[in-house]
Structure formats: C-alpha cells, structure tokens
Amino acid sequence: MYTLFHHPFCPQSRFVRLALGEHGLDLRLVEERSWERRTAFLALNPAGTTPVLVAEGQPPIPGAGVIAEFLDESHGAALGDRRLLPHGTAERIEVRRLLAWFNEKFFEEASGPLVTERIYKRFMSEEDGGGPPAMDVIRAATANVRYHLAYIGWLARTRNFLAGDRMTYADLAAAAHLSAIDYLGDVPWIEDEAAKAWYARIKSRPSFRPLLSEWLAGVPASRTYVDLDF
C-alpha cells in the first residue's frame, strides 16, 4: 500500500496517480494544501511541494520525476511490453525529455499558473497569497497553453504516442497537466484535432477514471472534462 500526499488538482500529483493506476498499485490519498506548509509535511519534503509518495520501509519519495523513476525501478519490469519507461537508451531519453517538458516547462508556463490562480488562491489565506486571481497571469498562461497544445499535436501526428510507438510516462504526464486545466475549460481543443484525438485515447483508460471523479465545489467542470468523445 502506498500513500500519496497530493492535491486533487496538482498536475504532477495527477501524473503520479495515473502512473500508479497503470501499475495497478493500491493507493491511499492524503490531500495536502502545500501552501499551508505543515510541519509534518515539510518533514516528508522540505521543499514543501506535492506530490510525495510514502511506502512502508522506504524514505519519503518527493517529486513526480523521482516517483516515476522509483516506480519503474520497483515495478516497471512487471508490466512487460507495457513498461512506461522503455528499455532502449534512446527511447528512455526521449521519455525523460518529455517528462521534463510537461512536469517542468508546461507546469511553469501554463498549468501551474492556471491552477494556482483559479483554484489554489480560492483556498489560500491572504497571508499565504490568496485573493482574487491575477488576470494578467491567467491571460499569459492561457496563451501559453496554445503553443504547448500545438507541440502535443505535432507529436501525436508524427508518432503513435507522444514519445514513440507505445504509451509511456510522457503521455501520462501530458494528459495529467491537460486534465487539470481542462476541468477549468482552458484547453482550446478546437485548435488541434490530433492533440484532441490523442487525449481522448489516454482519457479513456481505466487509470483516468478516478481523476474524472474529482470535483471542486463552486467551480463546475467544463463540458469536455468528463466527455470521452468530446
């Protein structure tokens, strides 16, 4: 049994949940509001960020990239041909490159600002940075979504999946970040049919179902969030 300290709309946490689901591992979720900087949580991850995975007999495992590597080392071989981090050196490099793209670049430029401004700040105290959303930040992040979506579309048109011939961590990471902002209606799917079709494939997987059950009081999900065909 694993315990994941997460926030339901933290994009990196969503990626880890998808990865654990694809591995078929039992999971207990603990919601963490990282901006509160709880002493007990900082003991698990001094950086104070989600996600953090805790397994019996192991030190706390912080960060999406570290967790992905741990899952591959511990459980990857059991997936056989469905392994989420391929065997070949070139393929592994490409998956890791795209993992960094989505969990770092996409998060910094698009999903992170949108989730923070439109979701987290609703629950933050003024001392923690809460208050009305900064519309200039939202406008910049929304514009950035467009070029990231175009890149995903280009990958989807030139490959079977984002990193190559089969699904990998790269697909789960991209879909996780998109899912968080798709809830808010901030993904312009009409602009790229290839990206839209790829996302529908990933979204239809059983590992995605728990994410689609996440709802935020007072913030209705967009029409496309739970529509597998959209």
Side-chain angles (χ1 to χ4, degrees):
M1 170 70 75
Y2 288 97
T3 298
L4 183 69
F5 290 82
H6 80 124
H7 187 279
F9 287 92
C10 164
Q12 290 100 333
S13 297
R14 286 180 157 235
F15 160 65
V16 171
R17 291 173 65 187
L18 289 176
L20 286 159
E22 290 293 332
H23 281 95
L25 299 172
D26 292 332
L27 178 64
R28 182 174 75 95
L29 294 171
V30 176
E31 182 174 335
E32 186 66 40
R33 296 185 174 188
S34 57
W35 56 87
E36 295 177 351
R37 299 188 63 79
R38 290 192 310 115
T39 301
F41 181 65
L42 292 174
L44 298 176
N45 181 18
T49 56
T50 52
V52 178
L53 187 68
V54 176
E56 185 176 354
Q58 300 283 349
I61 309 164
V66 179
I67 294 171
E69 295 285 350
F70 167 78
L71 291 176
D72 183 71
E73 292 169 0
S74 302
H75 304 284
L79 292 180
D81 292 340
R82 297 184 295 110
R83 192 168 188 165
L84 297 170
L85 191 59
H87 294 285
T89 299
E91 291 83 0
R92 292 170 80 89
I93 289 172
E94 180 64 355
V95 172
R96 288 182 172 120
R97 181 187 74 83
L98 290 173
L99 265 182
W101 180 285
F102 295 114
N103 283 334
E104 297 172 21
K105 183 177 177 63
F106 189 95
F107 177 76
E108 180 180 349
E109 297 177 348
S111 61
L114 288 170
V115 168
T116 298
E117 295 298 326
R118 300 190 60 187
I119 295 180
Y120 292 172
K121 288 178 74 171
R122 295 169 57 92
F123 303 98
M124 291 178 175
S125 67
E126 187 175 346
E127 292 76 17
D128 291 331
M135 296 310 299
D136 57 336
V137 173
I138 289 177
R139 283 192 293 270
T142 302
N144 289 337
V145 171
R146 287 182 159 81
Y147 86 77
H148 282 286
L149 189 67
Y151 183 51
I152 291 170
W154 179 82
L155 292 171
R157 284 189 295 274
T158 57
R159 303 169 176 181
N160 194 29
F161 288 93
L162 297 190
D165 291 335
R166 58 190 178 87
M167 191 185 74
T168 66
Y169 280 139
D171 299 278
L172 300 184
H177 285 260
L178 286 170
S179 73
I181 59 178
D182 186 39
Y183 182 94
L184 300 168
D186 287 331
V187 184
W189 295 113
I190 194 172
E191 294 185 8
D192 200 300
E193 288 296 325
K196 178 180 174 181
W198 160 83
Y199 182 66
R201 290 163 64 197
I202 305 301
K203 188 178 175 182
S204 66
R205 298 189 63 81
S207 63
F208 225 101
R209 290 172 190 160
L211 271 64
L212 298 178
S213 69
E214 301 285 5
W215 298 91
L216 186 65
V219 182
S222 69
R223 182 186 64 81
T224 61
Y225 184 65
V226 294
D227 184 354
L228 294 183
D229 298 321
F230 71 106

